[in-house]
Amino acid sequence: MNVLILGSGGREHAFANQIAKSNILKKLYVAPGNAGTEKIAENVNIPVTDFISISEFVTKNNIELIVVGPEDPLVAGIVDFFKSKSEFSGLLIAGPDKAGAILEGSKDYAKEFMFKYNIPTAGYFCAVPENYDNAVEYMTTLNPPYVLKADGLAAGKGVLIIDNIEEAESELKNMLGGKFGNAGNKVVIEEYLDGIECSVFALTDGESYVILPEAKDYKRIGENNTGLNTGGMGAVSPVPFYDNEFAQKVEERIIKPTIAGIQKENMDYRGFVFFGLMNVNGDPYVIEYNVRMGDPETEVVLPRIKTDLLTLLIAAAKKELKNKTVEIDQRSAATIILVSGGYPEAYEKNKIISGIDEVKDSIVFHSGTTNKDGNIVSSGGRVLAVSSFGTNIFEALQQSYNSASKINFDKMYYRKDLGFDLK
Ligand code: AMP
Ligand code: GLY
């Protein structure tokens, strides 16, 4: 089978790494890819939302399966685009249609969906400029801190958590006034959930599903979970508090009703559901849905999957997931993200990276790299993900730290405290 992966991050490198091992793979392409994917696949210089160029490439290269990494093409309707063209009727796509992708594309919709299907989540109010006074009144009924979320996609930056109500009111005004562009035309105000977060993933064909290993992501830039939110500074899998009892609650209260809701809403959903969860005193609540895998979670989840990933993706895209199972590596995995100094604010690019080849006992996934005249240079804020196995997450982390110490680029930074809250 000829496969095209869309995306350019560590998540897509981890997909490529896993799919490349499949003995049913013929040829693997990644668009646009990075300096890591080009070692195991052919990079194609097409942006992920240029559907016309993607379709021309698909035809010319007999692509049989597209694996969509990031949310943008899904929310923009890549599945619907191909479904509307009869010449692509045989093409398989791992990813939901636009009706399904709105679970990530609109936080207001996601909340409505959760309430409709009785899925545990924080109480909320959806603010628009016209109901500002009611929104402020709702806020006065909440205990601080106040959670404000831009409704639309905001590259992970659209959520503010504010201690002080006056400041929350003024930020609400800023958001409705365009602070996050159109993404903030509506703002979801939520009850604050006090707990510990984790991420759970299912692959579904819209009816059946398989559950993948859970993971915990470290979102803040600074140690002890301080400072600005990032795309993710590292991840571990499994999550120590995610015991059988909690897993059972997640499946019964969250995964099953979500898949049932997807079916009732007639979404054509053949792809990943990412449940961002909060464990509040042993009970799971949904903080958000994403319609794709997480990054950096993928860099610990996929290495733990022993079942042929390509076979699973094909089964999801063909609606043949029923009775499929996933074999999971019982070892633990950890990844740490090496970023460019300054990230998630302004940072420099084009830094020459050395030492990757000296890493022997970890997998180095490329997140933001490019090949410039034979040198691997940084091209993003998150540059590399160093993933390792261990008998427990702390050993896996230690291995990643040992490997990271062999890698270098100007102003390289990473958190040295990952796992601190799980000891
Ligand atoms: P989201 O983009 O919805 O995942 O929100 C970003 C981050 O904000 C989450 O990872 C949580 O750390 C935090 N967060 C979001 N919603 C809540 C909530 N209702 N209560 C507490 N923390 C939240
Ligand atoms: N690591 C969180 C995300 O991918 O949204």
Side-chain angles (χ1 to χ4, degrees):
M1 170 162 285
N2 295 325
V3 179
L4 170 64
I5 298 173
L6 298 182
S8 62
R11 167 180 50 211
E12 288 75 22
H13 190 186
F15 268 111
N17 186 56
Q18 210 76 356
I19 291 172
K21 293 180 199 159
S22 173
N23 52 26
I24 54 171
L25 177 74
K26 221 169 9 180
K27 173 111 191 164
L28 182 60
Y29 301 90
V30 187
N34 60 38
T37 60
E38 80 178 4
K39 294 212 165 127
I40 49 176
E42 187 176 324
N43 283 355
V44 187
N45 193 14
I46 304 177
V48 296
T49 48
D50 182 353
F51 299 165
I52 301 281
S53 301
I54 294 170
S55 67
E56 286 164 3
F57 184 84
V58 164
T59 305
K60 213 161 135 197
N61 296 279
N62 294 317
I63 300 296
E64 294 155 277
L65 171 70
I66 300 180
V67 181
V68 187
E71 62 277 18
D72 293 22
L74 296 166
V75 173
I78 188 166
V79 170
D80 312 67
F81 172 89
F82 280 103
K83 260 173 83 172
S84 70
K85 298 189 166 20
S86 57
E87 67 268 35
F88 293 111
S89 60
L91 176 69
L92 300 173
I93 306 184
D97 69 350
K98 205 170 178 171
I102 195 173
L103 283 173
E104 176 166 359
S106 166
K107 297 210 184 261
D108 179 34
Y109 179 82
K111 296 300 281 193
E112 257 180 52
F113 177 96
M114 287 183 254
F115 272 80
K116 183 166 174 185
Y117 295 104
N118 286 318
I119 296 161
T121 187
Y124 79 109
F125 181 90
C126 181
V128 292
E130 294 72 34
N131 68 11
Y132 177 80
D133 290 342
N134 296 342
V136 169
E137 201 180 304
Y138 174 74
M139 255 194 282
T140 62
T141 68
L142 302 176
N143 295 319
Y146 304 92
V147 181
L148 305 180
K149 300 185 174 183
D151 175 60
L153 294 184
K157 299 190 175 77
V159 177
L160 299 178
I161 298 183
I162 301 169
D163 288 323
N164 172 301
I165 192 153
E166 285 83 29
E167 201 188 319
E169 285 174 23
S170 106
E171 276 300 344
L172 174 62
K173 208 171 242 168
N174 292 342
M175 287 171 87
L176 291 171
K179 176 171 179 156
F180 296 109
N182 289 342
N185 287 349
K186 292 187 200 172
V187 174
V188 169
I189 305 169
E190 267 186 29
E191 275 171 3
Y192 181 80
L193 295 173
D194 196 8
I196 179 157
E197 283 183 72
C198 64
S199 310
V200 180
F201 307 90
L203 176 64
T204 182
D205 59 13
E207 288 168 26
S208 304
Y209 61 88
V210 290
I211 302 176
L212 309 180
E214 78 284 359
K216 179 165 172 53
D217 165 25
Y218 287 84
K219 286 189 208 268
R220 302 292 198 96
I221 187 72
E223 291 178 3
N224 287 310
N225 294 341
T226 53
L228 292 174
N229 255 328
T230 69
M233 294 297 292
V236 296
S237 175
V239 178
F241 67 75
Y242 202 93
D243 55 17
N244 282 341
E245 191 188 340
F246 192 74
Q248 204 68 33
K249 288 181 186 170
V250 171
E251 183 164 13
E252 292 304 321
R253 298 179 192 174
I254 291 171
I255 299 178
K256 281 187 182 165
T258 298
I259 303 296
I262 281 173
Q263 242 178 307
K264 289 216 182 75
E265 300 295 326
N266 288 318
M267 297 170 178
D268 186 2
Y269 204 121
R270 312 177 199 198
F272 295 98
V273 191
F274 168 158
F275 303 86
L277 303 181
M278 189 73 87
N279 174 350
V280 183
N281 298 324
D283 288 318
Y285 289 79
V286 178
I287 292 185
E288 64 165 348
Y289 287 119
N290 294 309
V291 297
R292 51 168 175 88
M293 285 296 289
D295 193 349
E297 290 95 327
T298 305
E299 292 94 302
V300 291
V301 171
L302 292 193
R304 293 190 64 216
I305 295 180
K306 288 173 138 182
T307 309
D308 181 319
L309 181 68
L310 183 51
T311 308
L312 287 174
L313 292 168
I314 294 168
K318 284 188 168 171
K319 277 193 162 298
E320 292 174 358
L321 262 188
K322 202 173 175 187
N323 302 325
K324 288 275 185 302
T325 53
V326 180
E327 195 190 345
I328 295 170
D329 193 321
Q330 289 310 307
R331 286 177 298 171
S332 297
T335 196
I336 59 173
I337 304 289
L338 314 185
V339 306
S340 292
Y343 172 82
E345 297 185 283
Y347 56 83
E348 292 168 36
K349 294 183 187 174
N350 288 314
K351 303 291 186 189
I352 294 182
I353 304 165
S354 64
I356 296 176
D357 291 341
E358 281 157 48
V359 173
K360 301 292 178 222
D361 300 312
S362 301
I363 323 170
V364 181
F365 294 118
H366 291 229
S367 298
T369 66
T370 190
N371 186 333
K372 207 170 184 184
D373 309 322
N375 286 318
I376 296 179
V377 302
S378 65
S379 61
R382 293 195 292 171
V383 179
L384 297 169
V386 183
S387 294
S388 314
F389 284 113
T391 54
N392 58 49
I393 54 170
F394 303 104
E395 278 186 32
L397 279 164
Q398 194 49 54
Q399 182 57 52
S400 284
Y401 282 124
N402 292 346
S403 298
S405 69
K406 300 186 172 140
I407 299 174
N408 192 41
F409 57 89
D410 185 32
K411 301 199 174 80
M412 177 173 108
Y413 166 78
Y414 54 91
R415 275 181 62 170
K416 310 218 167 37
D417 69 330
L418 300 185
F420 77 99
D421 49 354
L422 299 172
K423 282 188 175 133

